[in-house]
Amino acid sequence: MNAVPMNGDRLVMAPGEMRRVGYATVDALVELLADQRDRPVLGRAAPEQMQQRLGGPPPEEPEGFDRALRYLVDDVLPFRSNLQHPGYFAYIPGSGTWPGALGDLIASAMNLDCGNWMESSGPSQVELQVLDWFRAWIGYPEGAGGVLVSGGSAANLTALACARELRLGPMTERAMVYCSDQSHSSVARAARTLGFRPEQVRVLPSDERYRLRLDALAAAVDSDRASGLVPLLVSANAGATNTGAIDSLPELATYCAAQNIWCHVDAAYGGFVVLTEEGRSLMRGLELADSVTLDPHKWLYQPFECGALLVRERGALERAFSVNPDYLADTEAQHAEVNFAARGLQLPGQSSAEAVAVPANLRPCCLPRRHS
Ligand SMILES: *Cc1c(COP(=O)(O)O)cnc(C)c1O
């Protein structure tokens, strides 16, 4: 193998060239994003067609940035659904915005690492601030914990891992998770990832308004306890993906507290309706949940991917996830410092890009207007 010469120049571009390729990229993007109505909504192709355009061995020689950009514009980007198109309604598309995209660019260009405070106090404070806004919006008490993650799926996984670690410790075949037939597939996938077998996830029927039936939940919990199983977590919906259904959050939270079951609310789709008066009343009880999943890349118009998990109990995330390896011995958080790596699975974090992207979009002028 030919080693790359120990010459940093290969990785560094001269400022003039940085500007030139940067402007060329922005020009190409603006061109692609302008006049959406005149563009096709869908761009589909068969695997052979894509293979023909993009297949082949890695180039022997560098091909240069301009060539790479042309490939993207001609052979890659036309072949995708155009989620920004005003006529695109399929699934639950995100609709990123330009300020959010520039936030991602800034985070990538600066190569931010939000894993620990010592290395990243500025970006960490931005992430803390954004999470604190979310905390206040959903009605959690001051000091509640949170972390930005790569999306709703990652947030649900993190919530289940946190609950299992704090309430149960090691995984057992007796731990049970409950959700409704309207719950997002990521709940079952999170359970599988963490070692729950399919029979450890009870999918309960919903009522005529697609809400988890409390009587069905109570019956399942009673019967599971009678068989020696350990009810661990209920994943409720606050804006189910199929129908927008919102489970009876106050009743569920009260029931779970009485039963010592972790009450998680998956509000990836619907959570940010709390920014409106009407939405806030629909989401009554969200603040009682032990943890809440939110997806800024849905109703906050962040580019993919940006999710968030909030956990009501102060310090719960750290208690679940903090591990201090020798190579990070110097980074241990002091006093009010927060090391985001200690709050979840990701080390430098998805979160760095998102922490910049979120506020880029959330200047007050960009906030969804509240009903008054
Ligand atoms: C979209 C969605 C998810 C998954 O979120 P991703 O960001 O796509 O990983 C989870 N739950 C609900 C209710 C959703 O709508």
Side-chain angles (χ1 to χ4, degrees), residues 92 150-154 156 184 186 237 239-241 266 268-269 295 297-298:
I92 307 224
S150 59
S153 304
N156 287 338
H184 192 268
S186 59
N237 290 312
T241 316
D266 181 357
Y269 173 31
D295 243 354
H297 66 205
K298 286 178 178 161

Side-chain angles (χ1 to χ4, degrees), residues 196-216:
F196 292 79
R197 301 323 303 157
E199 58 276 13
Q200 291 176 268
V201 180
R202 289 236 187 281
V203 179
L204 300 165
S206 48
D207 67 12
E208 71 292 344
R209 289 172 61 194
Y210 301 101
R211 297 173 305 188
L212 176 61
R213 276 178 38 203
L214 199 58
D215 59 338

Side-chain angles (χ1 to χ4, degrees), residues 116-118 318 324 328-340 342:
N116 68 72
W117 182 269
M118 190 180 85
E318 280 88 348
N324 290 315
L328 291 179
D330 298 334
T331 67
E332 215 159 298
Q334 312 289 326
H335 311 296
E337 300 174 1
V338 170
N339 287 347
F340 278 105

Side-chain angles (χ1 to χ4, degrees), residues 92-97 100 127 130-131 133-134 137 147-153 155 267-272 275 292-310 351 353-355 357-359 361-362 368:
I92 307 224
S95 203
T97 58
E127 182 166 347
V130 166
L131 287 164
W133 293 343
F134 294 174
W137 291 347
V147 62
L148 291 178
V149 295
S150 59
S153 304
Y269 173 31
F272 287 113
L275 286 166
V292 175
T293 284
L294 296 169
D295 243 354
H297 66 205
K298 286 178 178 161
W299 269 0
L300 286 190
Y301 306 99
Q302 296 305 305
F304 289 128
E305 300 183 277
C306 184
L309 178 70
L310 290 135
S351 47
E354 290 137 9
V358 172
N361 246 18
L362 286 189

